[in-house]
Amino acid sequence: QVQVAESGGGLVQAGGSLRLSCAASGRTFSSYTMAWFRQAPGKVREFVAASWSGGTTSYADSVKGRFTISRDNAGNTVYLQMNSLKPEDTAVYYCAADRSLARSTLHSRYDYWGQGTQVTVSS
């Protein structure tokens, strides 16, 4: 069983940076896939980045080169460093955990979710 909670959202100007944190609890956390999704107004929830079990990472094409996901297993915290932010990055960002080894980018495959943190990028 894993519980997750996001923090670090806020308002930032285009071109700026923001770092999101996801605090996770659970004895099996280290073996879980951890991922970030986002949902903008009028849009479906979309994959942003993932940290697969084993240390491999994956990113959506829209954020490659700008976002970085990292995991602090000792502190049970996952981060999303967001640089060169654009207005189209505005969304509610969610942290998610998947207990399987499927390495899925589909939100429906994830078992545990945080409640989301709002990121707003002004032009």
Side-chain angles (χ1 to χ4, degrees), residues 38-83:
R38 67 186 182 186
Q39 187 165 17
K43 303 290 186 179
V44 299
R45 190 169 299 185
E46 65 176 353
F47 172 79
V48 176
S51 175
W52 312 123
S53 177
T56 304
T57 59
S58 183
Y59 299 91
D61 289 341
S62 60
V63 306
K64 285 182 179 178
R66 299 189 298 120
F67 290 11
T68 302
I69 187 171
S70 60
R71 189 199 303 236
D72 179 1
N73 288 317
N76 289 334
T77 304
V78 177
Y79 305 95
L80 184 68
Q81 178 66 47
M82 304 184 293
N83 298 325

Side-chain angles (χ1 to χ4, degrees), residues 22 26 28 32 39 51 60 65 71 76 80 82 87 94 98 101 106 114 119 122:
C22 174
T28 61
Y32 279 35
Q39 187 165 17
S51 175
R71 189 199 303 236
N76 289 334
L80 184 68
M82 304 184 293
Y94 298 89
D98 176 20
L101 300 177
L106 302 175
V119 172
S122 62

